[in-house]
Every structure is written in C-alpha cells, then in structure tokens.
Amino acid sequence: MNTQASPVLKVEGLRTHFFTRKGVVKAVDDVGFTLGPGQIMGLVGESGAGKSITGFSILGLIDPPGRIVAGKIIFQGEDLIAKPASELEKIRGNRISMVFQDPQTSLDPVFKIGYQITEALFVHHDLSRAQARDRAEQLLRLVGIPSPAQRLRDYPHQFSGGMRQRVGIAIAMASDPALIIADEPTTALDVTIQAQVLTLMRRLVQQKGTAMILITHDIALVGQFCDRIGVMYAGRLVEKGAKEEVITRPLHPYTQGLIASIPGRQERRRRLRQIPGMMPNLIGLPEGCPFLPRCDQAGEDCRQRPALAEVAPGHQVACFRRQGR
Amino acid sequence: MFLAGWGEFWTEFRESKSGLLGAGLTLAFILASLLAPVISPQNPYDLTQLFLQNSNLAPKWIPGMFMLGSDGQGRDLYSAILYGLRVSLYVGLASTVLSAVFGTLVGVLAGYMRGKTDALIMRIADIQLSFPAILIALVIMSLWGQGLFKIIIAISVVNWVFYARTARGSTLAEREKDYVDAARAAGVASGAIMLREILPNIVAPIIVIGTVRVANSIILESTLSFLGLGVPITEPSLGSLIYEGYQVLFSGFWWSSVLPGLGLMGVVLGINLLGDRLRDVLNPRLKR
Amino acid sequence: MLGYLIRRILQSIVVLLCVSVVVFAIMYLSGDPVEMLLPPEATQKQVEELRIHLGLDKPFHVQYLTFLHKALQGDLGKSFIFNQPAISLIVERIPATMELAVCAIFLAVVIGLPAGMYAAVRPNSWLAKSIMSGSLLGISLPVFWLGIILVLIFSVILGWLPSSGRGETGLFLGMRLGFLTIDGLKHLILPALTIAVFQLALIVRLVRAGMQEVLLQDFVKFLKAKGLSENRVVYVHALKNILIPVVTIIGLQLGNIIAFAVVTESIFAWPGMGKLVIDSIHALDRPVVLSYLLIISLMFVFLNFLVDVVYTFLDPRIRLK
C-alpha cells in the first residue's frame, strides 16, 4: 500500500478530552494514523476505548463537556481543527460523511426518507427539486433498495433494520465523499445482513476510491473487510499496521487477546480465550501502560508509558516487550 | 437501597444554588407554620383580641403587632398569614401523603398484576386525567360544601392518578428484573414481592412526583378557598385570606390580598425549586 | 384510519355515558329538589304530588333513563334563579369563555415555543437562565393572585385598563366577541394575561424538556454529520419532532383553561360559563351546575378526540393502515 503519495487523511497526536464533574476523561489521548484513497482502515477496541470519539473528532462533532485539546487532523491537505464551524459544515456530509451504528435511531422519525436524502443534497449542491429527487432515487438503487421511487415517500419506521442502514449509507454516499467514517455500521443488524451491508460498503468505496474508517469492536470483521488495522485501548492506539500483519502476527498482548477470542480460528481445538479484567476507568489513569493491570507479560518497565514504535515494516506497536527492551 | 446513596445524593444535590434555595425556603416555611403560635404576635382566631378600630391598618414594617398591617376585622395580618400557612401546608401535605399511598399501591398492583386489573385501573385513570383537576375538585366541593377534611379528600381524589401512573410504569420495568424473578422462584407471595421487593425500588420517582404535587395541591386548595369552596371560614388558609383581601382591594387596602399571596407564592416556589432539583438528581437519564 | 376513527368515537361516547351517570348520581344523591321548587308553606300532599309528577318516586335507573332521554333532546331543566332553560344559559356564555381561552393560549404559544426552544439550545446563556427562572416563577404564581396583582397595578394604581366585564362587544358570525372593539380589547387584556402566564410557563418548560430530549438523540448527530447547520437541525428537525407533543399539550391545556376560567372570570367579573357556574354553585342553582358539567364534559371529550386525531396525523409512526 502506498500511503506516502497523497493521504486523504492524516491524524497526528489527536487528544480529545471530556471535562466532567468527576474529572478529566482522556477519551482520545495521542492518536495518529494516515489513510490513503480507497483504503479501509479498521479501528478496533472495546466500547469506551475512544474509537467513536476519534471518528466524531474528525468531523468536529464533539459536544461539551468534550473538547479537542491537541493534535492535527489534516484532511486533503487542510487542518480541520483550525477551521471555523461554518467551514466544517461545508465539509461534513459533503467531503467527509458518516454512517451510524443504530439505524433505528439515526434517521429522523418524522421526515420521509426522500426528504432526508435530498436535504443533504440541497445543503451542499445547487440542484433543482427534480434533479435532487432523481439523484436520491439513484442513490437508493445504488445501495440496493427495491422500487426506490416509491420508497422515497416512506418514513424510516417503514423500513427494516438492514434497509434503514442502506438508507444511511445512501445519505453518506450522496455527495461522493472522499472519506466515510462508519461507526459500528452493522452491530445492530443480523449476522447475514451484516455481511451484505459490509460487502456493499466495500464495493461502493472501492468503486469510487473513497477512503473509509470502519469503527468496530469485532476484530473478525476488520480481518474480512479492511486494509489496515488500528487497535485502540483506553484512548490510545496500541498497535497498527497492515491487516495481514496484525491479524497473523499480533504483537500487543491486547491484540493477541482479541484475536484469540475470535471463535472458530485456526487452532480449533483450543479453548476460546477471554481477556481477563476490564478496561480501566479513564479518569485518573495511571502513568504507565494502560493495559498493565490485565497484562500477563508485564514487567517493571511497564510503569512507564510505551510509545508506538515500528517493529516490522509498516507494523507499529506500543509495548516494551515487543520493542526489544 | 434508596438511603444507601444518601451521602452521594447530598453531595450532588448541594451543587445547585437554586435547589438549596428551594430546600431552605421550604424548610423555613414549614418551621414558620409549626411555630406559628409561638412567633405570631396574636392568635388571629381569638375574637377577644380583635378590635374593630384596628381594621385595615397599613403595614408598619417594624416587627411587632401590625407589622404587615391588619385586615377588615382588625386582625394582625402577619399572624393571620402564619396561621393560614399552617392550614395550607397541612392540606397540601396531608392530601399528598394520602394520594401518594393510595396511588402508589394501586399503581404497583396494576403494574404487577397486568391484564384485566391493569386495564381497568388505567382506564379509570385515563378518563379522570382527561378532565382538569380543578373541575373534579370543584364538583366534589360543590357537592359536599366547605370543610378541611373534605378538601383533603377532594385533592387526593385529583392526585392519586399521577402516582398510580408513575408507580405502574416503574413496576412494569422492575418486575422484569432478576431479583423479582428470584423472589418469585423462591416462592415469595405476590403481595410480599410487591411491598418488599418492588416498592423500595420505585421510591425515587414517587418522591419526585410527590414534591411537584405538594406544590400543585397547595395552589389547588388556595384556589378553591378563594372561590369559597375550600376550607371553612373558621380555619382560613392563605387562599381565604387573599379572597377577603380582594374584597377591599378597590378601597386601597392592597396589603391584605398582596401579602398573603406573596407567602403563598414563596412556599410554592420553594417546593417547586426543590422538586426540580430532586428530579435532576434522581433522574439518571439526564445525568452526564 | 377509518377503523381507528370509529373506535375512537365509540370510546368517546362510552366516556360521555360514564360522565352522565356520575353527574346524574351527583344530582340524585345531593338531595330533593322539591323543597327548592315549592314554597315553604306547601302541604305534605303537594310535595307528594310534585314528587310523583317529576318522577322522583321511581327507582334510580328509571330516573336516569328519563334524564338521559331528556338530555339528548337538549332539555336539562330550568334554572331556579333565572327561570330559563339551563342549557341555553350556558351556551349563551360559551363565546365569552372561548374568546378568553383562545387569546390566552395564543399568547402562551407564540411566546412560549421560541423561548423554550432557545432555553434548550443555549442552556448556559443568561437569557436561557432568566427564561427558566421566569417559568418557574410562572408556575408558582397562583393564577387568582396574579389576577389580583394585575388589577392592582393596571386598574387601581395606574388606571390604564378596566378590571371587570367585557366592555363593548361586536357581532361576529353570530357571536358577541370583545376583540372587535377597542373597549372590548382593553377589557380582554388583563384576564387573558392572567391565564396566559401560567400556560406560558408550562409551555416553556415542556418545550425545553422535549427539545433537550430530542437533541440528545442519535439522529441529531447524524443530521449534523450530513452537514446541516445547527439552525436547520433545531428549527426544522427538532421542531417537527417536538411539535407532536406540543400540539397535544395545547389541546389538553385548552380544556384546562376553559375549566380554570371559573377563577379568572370570578376575579374579572367576566360574563362567561365559569362565572355563571360559580354563582350557580353558591346559589344552589343545581340545573345550571349540572348543565355546565355535561356541556363542559362534552367539550373535553371532543377536545381529547381532536387531539388524538391530530396526533395520528402528525406522527407518521402511529399512522394506522
């Protein structure tokens, strides 16, 4: 993969903190990665690891008490963090769009689907009513919704879960964005529909050369659909690299745990493993490696925080055990 | 279970100035009404202390007799307000306790039994709710005539619905939880499950509703008394005082209607502030 | 949809029948009207004859059916005081009460809706905080006392506005309405304001709470992710979402205002249904009180029906086949 040429997105040292009554939650703490056109990057981790917050940070949709406190988000050569809100509005839904987790709740229940699609078109493009309607119909056909012309007049509750998520994807694709952030797009769907929706998304992304960030807690899904993987833990990226590298040779103890817990992998006879313990509370996180309390390979030096370092070409990990120390 | 979090509750509660103000106001008014016989310069019910030459005196604004002026019968207004506050608070609290107990029990029963019991109870509640509270109370009072006990009953009849609905909703949610299943599997009788297992877990929303309803009940009582359909004239509440004051408003004696009203507003405002804060603290949904 | 409408109408009729039983039971239990109708020097024989003549010797259910039969023909007896059919006394006064109620709710919605939305969108601004404090004050003010204060300020002290009656009225669609003349408008201001303040406070609080709830939902984030401006999210999407509960509330509050008119009309000597019924309660003019109850129940049941129907039209999720 050639990410050097001209990356669509380059995130550097992103820190998004929430200033709550009980203390500062460092939901995203020094996260960086690069994404080229047509690439799909999987962002994996447990809930609360900071994956979604990373996604929302890129879109500039962090609500108080949260705030991006440091970092750069270079999208097509421009730093989004430095941009005023009105500029971001022009980018959102146009050059970067998002697909949400729960198709039940991500569409406005009291507006027709057609309205919700064309609305996104009108905001960003100068279209006539008829043009927008045609485009909406075309989009629904693109995502595989039968008889699209009629369905434009339906309300969200008249669609099944999978169909509703296709509508969400259609809205995200409406302006041919350069980047799509998909936040657990299939978690709320049945397994069979999951595969359909993801295959559709991958096909669309590849056709148009769109970059995509797939946020998920399911590392198996990432293995099937992504080019690159970033593993997040307690607000930090603990491992990232090409898919094959990370899946076949996971280096961080946490990634190893995640992969060992996938049912039905190579070593069939081995018992399914679980990572013991829980992710630590993000308030008042100790200085050292956040995974320390759950790690079976830790040593004294883990009381300091390990940084990401390259241990193999294109494969970085934040663990002293793998960095030859 | 509710009391276990008391320390945490208080830490959070005191963060809001308006909540503290509400609690303070409420407490102050309750104390003032309890201590009325001690702190008021006059017993306003004692006719031997009233002299007609003292009628409609303007407020003197200095502590003592006629600090807030006097009414048409020469009664010290400050004393009358304190005693009126007693009646108002008594009616408000008594009717709240009565309707909360009845409404909650009925609501838990409906939510736990479901089926026909539930349908019947909620049907009645729905029909009653489609009629304004004041109308229902008005019908009852116009039928029975004035009376302290009668108005407590009338207000309770109006209010039981709110508790019943809340209790039913919470019970429906609680009865699906594991601890109820466990109790049922252990052979605990339905009545015991309702009273000992479910009831303690739905106290918080009932308290929130209760606070708001106390304020409402006090206003309802004073409104009915203002219309001459509330407490008897021998035991005037703040509403009755305001009515009497209104009769002499156009003669320029503004204090005998305005000042009791300020007292009424103060106590209701205090309870409402307290209720708002309780709702915020006890409602986990709006928490960050 | 048609099935739903029919079911809903049947429901309303059942409710009305229940109400009529309750109202009749009240009348039945509240004593013998014969004593009211006959002079005190009437003999025992005259009393008996009148009882038989009025059918009061018959059992409860027979009397109820007779009552129902007459009620359906619009005959609810004559007022003891005015010696006129009770029902026409009430109906005559409906326009006055409705005028007051509609003006008040109009004021409350026009101010309350934007204020509540603002308070939800900018909860930390000083204006939002004053709106919320004001609304708390508004729901804590006893309506009758507010009326008195307004009278004191604008009539007694300033002498700007009249404090009683409706003033001059104009004829509109066969109804006497006050807002057609300057004098009528002047008379309308204080009572309408008195009612509106509480409703305004209530609407502000409901709108704010509803709005806060809507703004927390996922689809709001999705709308922003589509690139919609905050104004569009709030004033198009969130607004339509809260309009459903708000319309319901307005409908139900209209009923409440009509009932609450008994208070306001008493203070301002407003010649509407409310003042009439309070006077009739004090004068023990039972037929008028009962007619009032039946007519007002009819109005509520109708309002509830209307609100439900409007609700199904506004909310696509409950639109039935």
Side-chain angles (χ1 to χ4, degrees):
Chain A
M1 294 287 149
N2 181 8
T3 53
Q4 297 312 106
S6 87
V8 176
L9 178 75
K10 197 170 170 198
V11 177
E12 283 173 18
L14 178 68
R15 290 172 198 266
T16 305
H17 295 178
F18 286 76
F19 300 88
T20 67
R21 185 188 292 144
K22 287 176 181 147
V24 179
V25 178
K26 298 179 176 175
V28 176
D29 204 23
D30 194 11
V31 164
F33 55 86
T34 308
L35 197 57
Q39 275 191 345
I40 303 181
M41 155 132 167
L43 219 46
V44 202
E46 299 166 59
S47 52
K51 304 160 299 185
S52 299
I53 305 294
T54 305
F56 284 122
S57 299
I58 295 170
L59 278 168
L61 285 179
I62 299 293
D63 290 326
R67 197 155 44 95
I68 297 176
V69 292
K72 280 184 180 164
I73 297 170
I74 314 281
F75 172 69
Q76 295 183 332
E78 298 169 291
D79 188 359
L80 298 184
I81 292 178
K83 282 192 176 294
S86 57
E87 294 275 312
L88 280 177
E89 257 166 32
K90 287 184 196 150
I91 293 174
R92 283 201 286 266
N94 188 14
R95 288 158 63 198
I96 306 178
S97 58
M98 191 150 181
V99 178
F100 277 61
Q101 171 169 3
D102 190 352
Q104 295 277 23
T105 57
S106 62
L107 293 170
D108 188 335
V110 300
F111 282 90
K112 290 176 181 167
I113 290 301
Y115 183 91
Q116 299 196 47
I117 300 176
T118 51
E119 177 183 43
L121 291 167
F122 284 131
V123 175
H124 300 294
H125 310 277
D126 215 6
L127 291 177
S128 72
R129 207 165 262 281
Q131 280 171 319
R133 216 201 58 87
D134 286 348
R135 172 82 177 130
E137 198 183 320
Q138 184 197 339
L139 281 165
L140 285 194
R141 192 169 297 122
L142 189 72
V143 296
I145 290 180
S147 50
Q150 277 109 61
R151 304 244 55 185
L152 284 176
R153 287 193 295 272
D154 283 347
Y155 287 93
H157 71 278
Q158 291 164 304
F159 289 78
S160 67
M163 284 296 157
R164 233 182 320 222
Q165 194 58 298
R166 284 165 192 261
V167 173
I169 295 167
I171 293 175
M173 300 294 294
S175 300
D176 281 329
L179 172 66
I180 292 181
I181 299 168
D183 186 2
E184 305 265 11
T186 57
T187 310
L189 303 178
D190 290 343
V191 183
T192 45
I193 302 181
Q194 252 186 37
Q196 283 173 22
V197 168
L198 278 175
T199 311
L200 168 76
M201 287 181 83
R202 190 165 64 172
R203 203 189 72 225
L204 293 174
V205 164
Q206 282 166 350
Q207 273 172 12
K208 313 243 176 196
T210 313
M212 183 162 99
I213 298 175
L214 177 66
I215 294 169
T216 179
H217 62 274
D218 185 352
I219 199 163
L221 219 60
V222 170
Q224 287 169 50
F225 292 97
C226 299
D227 307 310
R228 295 168 54 73
I229 295 184
V231 180
M232 285 192 78
Y233 189 81
R236 297 161 194 186
L237 266 179
V238 293
E239 181 163 4
K240 68 176 177 184
K243 174 188 75 181
E244 295 78 13
E245 270 285 311
V246 177
I247 295 284
T248 51
R249 288 206 303 127
L251 294 176
H252 197 279
Y254 178 62
T255 318
Q256 290 171 348
L258 280 182
I259 287 175
S261 63
I262 303 174
R265 283 192 68 82
Q266 305 94 326
E267 302 153 73
R268 282 183 185 275
R269 315 185 73 180
R270 232 171 68 187
R271 218 156 51 87
L272 255 187
R273 266 181 48 196
Q274 261 194 328
I275 310 175
M278 277 168 58
M279 205 166 68
N281 189 341
L282 288 181
I283 296 175
L285 208 58
E287 271 302 289
C289 174
F291 193 61
L292 176 62
R294 295 168 77 179
C295 189
D296 51 6
Q297 307 167 28
E300 257 319 291
D301 50 349
C302 296
R303 296 199 184 280
Q304 280 181 321
R305 181 176 167 179
L308 269 180
E310 194 158 72
V311 290
H315 191 166
Q316 292 175 295
V317 67
C319 178
F320 294 133
R321 292 286 84 75
R322 302 291 172 275
Q323 293 170 0
R325 270 177 63 168
Chain B
M1 217 157 298
F2 179 66
L3 289 177
W6 179 251
E8 194 186 339
F9 165 81
W10 172 243
T11 324
E12 199 175 337
F13 181 89
R14 68 177 178 196
E15 272 174 30
S16 147
K17 282 198 199 92
S18 57
L20 283 178
L21 177 69
L25 270 176
T26 309
L27 213 64
F29 276 107
I30 290 177
L31 268 180
S33 72
L34 285 177
L35 295 176
V38 185
I39 55 176
S40 58
Q42 183 189 62
N43 179 356
Y45 301 137
D46 182 2
L47 294 175
T48 61
Q49 290 187 31
L50 306 182
F51 304 101
L52 221 51
Q53 67 264 33
N54 289 336
S55 65
N56 293 321
L57 294 177
K60 294 191 163 121
W61 303 124
I62 42 169
M65 200 65 146
F66 307 127
M67 173 170 78
L68 301 180
S70 68
D71 69 2
Q73 292 155 38
R75 204 180 271 148
D76 172 49
L77 196 57
Y78 177 64
S79 311
I81 291 176
L82 285 180
Y83 277 83
L85 190 66
R86 274 187 119 168
V87 177
S88 291
L89 276 172
Y90 172 66
V91 173
L93 290 173
S95 61
T96 299
V97 170
L98 202 62
S99 53
V101 170
F102 178 74
T104 306
L105 289 179
V106 169
V108 171
L109 191 71
Y112 189 80
M113 290 299 180
R114 300 196 288 198
K116 279 198 183 132
T117 318
D118 183 29
L120 179 71
I121 292 174
M122 286 303 119
R123 196 74 227 158
I124 295 173
D126 281 348
I127 293 180
Q128 190 187 319
L129 267 181
S130 65
F131 292 91
I134 178 121
L135 195 72
I136 295 167
L138 203 69
V139 170
I140 299 175
M141 294 312 286
S142 66
L143 194 64
W144 287 350
Q146 297 175 330
L148 201 59
F149 184 66
K150 292 172 187 167
I151 193 156
I152 291 174
I153 298 288
I155 295 176
S156 304
V157 169
V158 167
N159 278 341
W160 74 273
V161 195
F162 299 98
Y163 302 99
R165 293 192 125 198
T166 311
R168 171 182 176 266
S170 306
T171 304
L172 280 177
E174 288 296 325
R175 85 188 294 280
E176 300 305 323
K177 292 193 180 158
D178 290 342
Y179 73 91
V180 175
D181 284 340
R184 216 178 300 151
V188 180
S190 294
I193 294 180
M194 281 186 255
L195 292 179
R196 282 195 220 120
E197 309 291 333
I198 293 180
L199 202 57
N201 282 300
I202 62 167
V203 167
I206 297 292
I207 288 181
V208 173
I209 300 280
T211 331
V212 179
R213 295 319 303 175
V214 175
N216 260 295
S217 305
I218 292 176
I219 290 196
L220 185 55
E221 177 277 318
S222 64
T223 305
L224 290 168
S225 296
F226 178 79
L227 292 173
L229 294 168
V231 294
I233 18 174
T234 48
E235 281 168 289
S237 72
L238 291 175
S240 339
L241 290 180
I242 297 171
Y243 174 74
E244 281 170 36
Y246 181 56
Q247 305 303 310
V248 296
L249 180 71
F250 291 93
S251 317
F253 308 135
W254 57 269
W255 53 90
S256 35
S257 55
V258 172
L259 298 180
L262 273 181
L264 179 59
M265 190 183 80
V267 71
V268 171
L269 185 67
I271 297 173
N272 274 334
L273 282 170
L274 179 66
D276 261 23
R277 187 65 194 145
L278 284 180
R279 191 193 53 213
D280 288 350
V281 176
L282 296 179
N283 182 357
R285 237 148 65 87
L286 287 174
K287 266 190 204 166
R288 278 211 176 112
Chain C
M1 193 73 206
L2 190 67
Y4 169 76
L5 279 179
I6 291 171
R7 213 167 53 235
R8 195 62 191 71
I9 291 173
L10 286 177
Q11 253 174 34
S12 302
I13 293 174
V14 172
V15 170
L16 273 178
L17 278 177
C18 291
V19 170
S20 75
V21 173
V22 172
V23 167
F24 182 76
I26 290 171
M27 179 167 76
Y28 184 85
L29 294 174
S30 59
D32 201 335
V34 172
E35 284 155 33
M36 295 286 298
L37 291 170
L38 284 176
E41 64 271 16
T43 63
Q44 190 58 37
K45 190 163 177 287
Q46 282 174 305
V47 171
E48 275 313 307
E49 276 170 2
L50 188 65
R51 285 179 62 89
I52 293 167
H53 176 71
L54 291 174
L56 295 176
D57 52 335
K58 305 239 171 63
F60 178 81
H61 66 275
V62 177
Q63 287 194 41
Y64 171 70
L65 288 177
T66 319
F67 161 80
L68 194 65
H69 184 71
K70 278 187 175 173
L72 286 175
Q73 293 166 328
D75 177 8
L76 291 167
K78 270 187 175 179
S79 158
F80 301 149
I81 309 282
F82 298 90
N83 203 26
Q84 281 180 38
I87 203 154
S88 64
L89 276 172
I90 304 276
V91 171
E92 263 168 30
R93 283 165 174 78
I94 289 178
T97 300
M98 287 305 282
E99 180 178 25
L100 202 56
V102 171
C103 281
I105 200 107
F106 176 78
L107 272 178
V109 173
V110 165
I111 306 170
L113 192 60
M117 288 177 67
Y118 181 83
V121 177
R122 300 256 174 286
N124 294 319
S125 71
W126 66 269
L127 184 58
K129 283 180 178 157
S130 357
I131 290 174
M132 291 321 291
S133 313
S135 79
L136 197 70
L137 204 63
I139 60 160
S140 303
L141 276 173
V143 171
F144 62 96
W145 187 66
L146 176 67
I148 292 173
I149 297 294
L150 290 177
V151 167
L152 178 66
I153 296 173
F154 293 101
S155 307
V156 178
I157 298 176
L158 296 172
W160 290 352
L161 294 167
S163 68
S164 78
R166 284 182 88 186
E168 217 177 293
T169 53
L171 207 58
F172 180 70
L173 295 175
M175 287 181 292
R176 297 226 141 260
L177 293 177
F179 73 91
L180 298 169
T181 66
I182 302 282
D183 186 49
L185 265 183
K186 275 183 161 181
H187 281 81
L188 189 58
I189 293 175
L190 287 185
L193 205 60
T194 303
I195 300 178
V197 167
F198 179 82
Q199 302 300 329
L200 169 63
L202 198 72
I203 287 179
V204 164
R205 294 168 73 78
L206 285 167
V207 167
R208 186 184 87 121
M211 198 77 181
Q212 278 183 329
E213 199 115 308
V214 170
L215 290 178
L216 281 178
Q217 292 195 21
D218 261 10
F219 72 79
V220 169
K221 260 209 161 155
F222 187 60
L223 291 169
K224 285 186 188 162
K226 280 203 301 196
L228 302 193
S229 64
E230 186 179 352
N231 280 339
R232 217 187 136 75
V233 172
V234 171
Y235 295 105
V236 176
H237 285 273
L239 180 61
K240 192 171 178 197
N241 272 276
I242 58 159
L243 224 45
I244 296 163
V246 165
V247 166
T248 318
I249 293 299
I250 291 173
L252 298 179
Q253 281 312 109
L254 197 62
N256 252 314
I257 292 177
I258 294 170
F260 237 93
V262 293
V263 181
T264 329
E265 290 180 3
S266 297
I267 297 172
F268 293 95
W270 188 265
M273 297 188 286
K275 171 125 179 56
L276 176 70
V277 78
I278 286 294
D279 292 346
S280 304
I281 288 174
H282 287 302
L284 300 175
D285 195 348
R286 198 155 291 143
V288 178
V289 178
L290 290 174
S291 311
Y292 170 81
L293 287 179
L294 279 181
I295 288 177
I296 210 160
S297 307
L298 193 68
M299 286 168 87
F300 290 145
V301 170
F302 179 69
L303 264 174
N304 277 309
F305 171 73
L306 211 64
V307 163
D308 274 8
V309 172
V310 169
Y311 200 103
T312 49
F313 270 105
L314 279 178
D315 193 338
R317 282 162 295 186
I318 50 171
R319 193 171 297 164
L320 308 153
K321 311 117 233 175

